[in-house]
């Protein structure tokens, strides 16, 4: 078997950076001989050591072009495999889609191996002319908290994660209003550069009769506690790559109402009973039904497919077959 790569990790609270660190910990728990290295310390790494990185353009540069250039410079010096996150798609818009598509295509072409987190994303690579070569799909794992207590329902519709356009907040607010629910909780804060848009959203929701609470940043224990307290978890993304929010809801025991798309259908098949998928026109009705039947918003399962150890072993097997 080929040698496993050094796992490159980034500091900070960006979702992909946090996921990369968590995955590196899971891999090292399975294979203690595999090492991690901070992105800032790559010049100190052994010159012949292959690397594995997690790539999303916002983590690697201030623009798609800068991010692709940074990855390309690294791949020119070392053998690198990559997990692609936030795969380009139509919801990026007419201006950003061509730029992101070109950036991701350059990254995939320069890598020794390409991974994504869903079959949906693997299809997007082909559909968006990013990459037509081999790619492995290793789904986002779920860390199921089986012993955590259920919280009293707080009367709100909840949306989890950073706020940014396309995350589904407007859809959730309209569904809440149409369902006669006057409270909404955003578990998180604005993504970088989107604070003003978050303020505008709060005003729009208010005009619909929905009072929005923005929790801001919460530590792991508190966001889990608040996530278990919202009355109806909702996922209504327009921009869908792979959803860490969905994994978190399921890990907390919740069964969110999710607007149906190819990714949500894939996850419903992977983990039956853990989410309710509905077409967008039916979202308000589903939210109202969930509000009136609180038990339906909990999946009640004690074991789930694709936990962290399984995902880690998936990476180890994949690396073993790459041509470094």
């Amino acid at each position: 078997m080929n040698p496993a790569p050094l796992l490159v990790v980034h500091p900070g609270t960006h979702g992909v950076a946090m996921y990369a660190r968590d995955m590196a910990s899971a891999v090292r728990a399975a294979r203690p001989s595999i090492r991690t290295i901070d992105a800032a310390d790559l010049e100190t790494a052994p010159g012949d050591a292959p690397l594995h990185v997690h790539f999303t353009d916002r983590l690697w540069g201030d623009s798609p072009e800068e991010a692709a250039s940074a990855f390309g410079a690294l791949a020119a010096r070392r053998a690198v495999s990559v997990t692609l996150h936030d795969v380009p798609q139509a919801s990026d818009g007419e201006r950003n889609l061509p730029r992101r598509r070109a950036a991701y295509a350059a990254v995939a072409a320069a890598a020794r191996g390409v991974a994504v987190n869903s079959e949906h994303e693997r299809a997007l690579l082909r559909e968006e002319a990013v990459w037509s070569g081999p790619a492995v799909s290793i789904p986002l794992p779920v860390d199921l908290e089986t012993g955590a207590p259920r919280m009293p329902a707080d009367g709100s519709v909840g949306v989890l994660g950073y706020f940014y356009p396309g995350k589904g907040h407007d859809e959730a607010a309209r569904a809440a209003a149409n369902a006669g629910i006057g409270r909404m909780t955003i578990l998180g804060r604005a993504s970088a550069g989107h604070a003003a848009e978050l303020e505008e959203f709060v005003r729009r929701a208010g005009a619909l009769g929905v009072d929005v609470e923005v929790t801001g940043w919460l530590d792991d224990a508190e966001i889990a506690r608040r996530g278990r307290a919202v009355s109806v978890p909702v996922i209504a993304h327009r921009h869908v790559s792979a959803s860490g929010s969905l994994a978190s809801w399921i890990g907390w025991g919740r069964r969110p109402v999710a607007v149906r798309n190819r990714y949500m259908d894939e996850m419903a098949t992977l983990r039956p009973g853990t989410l309710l998928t509905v077409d967008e026109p039916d979202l308000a009705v589903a939210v109202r039904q969930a509000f009136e039947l609180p038990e339906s918003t909990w999946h009640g399962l004690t074991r789930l497919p694709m936990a962290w150890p399984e995902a880690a072993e998936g990476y180890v097997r994949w690396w073993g077959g790459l041509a470094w």
Side-chain angles (χ1 to χ4, degrees):
M1 179 177 285
N2 292 332
L6 291 172
L7 310 182
V8 179
V9 295
H10 292 256
T13 59
H14 190 288
V16 171
M18 295 169 67
Y19 176 74
R21 295 196 300 270
D22 289 343
M23 182 55 72
S25 295
V27 168
R28 294 199 72 241
R31 296 288 192 276
S33 61
I34 296 177
R35 292 182 295 148
T36 64
I37 187 167
D38 192 277
D41 298 330
L42 283 173
E43 295 304 322
T44 68
D48 60 346
L51 307 174
H52 181 76
V53 307
H54 291 257
F55 180 89
T56 182
D57 47 333
R58 289 183 178 271
L59 183 63
W60 281 70
D62 293 331
S63 68
E65 295 81 6
E66 182 179 314
S69 177
F71 180 90
L74 177 63
R77 302 192 307 270
R78 297 176 175 275
V80 187
S81 63
V82 63
T83 300
L84 298 175
H85 298 266
D86 304 317
V87 176
Q89 56 192 281
S91 56
D92 286 319
E94 292 182 5
R95 177 178 181 273
N96 285 327
L97 178 57
R99 299 172 65 205
R100 298 192 73 242
R101 180 191 288 137
Y104 276 66
V107 168
R112 298 293 181 93
V114 175
V116 289
N117 296 292
S118 64
E119 294 296 334
H120 161 67
E121 290 171 305
R122 186 152 66 174
L124 277 177
L125 294 180
R126 298 189 300 271
E127 292 164 359
E128 296 297 338
V130 170
W131 176 244
S132 59
V136 65
S137 170
I138 301 175
L140 296 179
V142 168
D143 186 11
L144 186 59
E145 299 179 14
T146 56
R150 297 188 183 185
M151 305 298 296
D154 66 6
S156 76
V157 166
V159 177
L160 174 63
Y162 286 103
F163 174 92
Y164 55 82
K167 183 68 180 285
H169 293 82
D170 279 287
E171 290 81 353
R174 287 195 296 270
N178 291 333
I181 302 170
R183 293 184 57 201
M184 179 174 175
T185 303
I186 296 177
L187 293 159
R189 60 187 178 187
S191 186
H194 295 296
E197 289 162 301
L198 174 55
E199 293 177 2
E200 292 170 5
F201 163 73
V202 171
R203 288 193 290 270
R204 285 197 303 275
L208 296 173
V210 178
D211 181 49
V212 178
E213 177 190 0
V214 181
T215 67
W217 183 86
L218 301 172
D219 64 26
D220 290 348
E222 182 62 9
I223 200 168
R225 187 189 73 81
R226 292 296 304 270
R228 290 191 294 268
V230 301
S231 290
V232 186
V234 172
I235 301 175
H237 300 35
R238 291 196 305 274
H239 184 102
V240 180
S241 193
S243 177
S245 298
L246 174 61
S248 293
W249 284 125
I250 294 171
W252 299 332
R254 304 308 303 268
R255 181 174 178 256
V257 178
V259 172
R260 186 177 183 185
N261 54 51
R262 186 168 63 188
Y263 177 74
M264 292 301 168
D265 284 347
E266 180 183 342
M267 293 300 102
T269 300
L270 176 65
R271 300 184 179 103
T274 59
L275 68 160
L276 172 64
T277 58
V278 299
D279 294 325
E280 187 171 336
D282 301 323
L283 181 59
V285 171
V287 166
R288 184 67 210 179
Q289 290 174 342
F291 189 81
E292 294 175 348
L293 295 170
E295 188 64 27
S296 71
T297 70
W298 297 87
H299 60 67
L301 301 173
T302 56
R303 293 186 64 186
L304 292 171
M306 192 52 66
W308 285 91
E310 294 171 273
E313 288 291 351
Y315 271 106
V316 172
R317 287 193 301 272
W318 176 58
W319 290 324
L322 290 182
W324 294 110

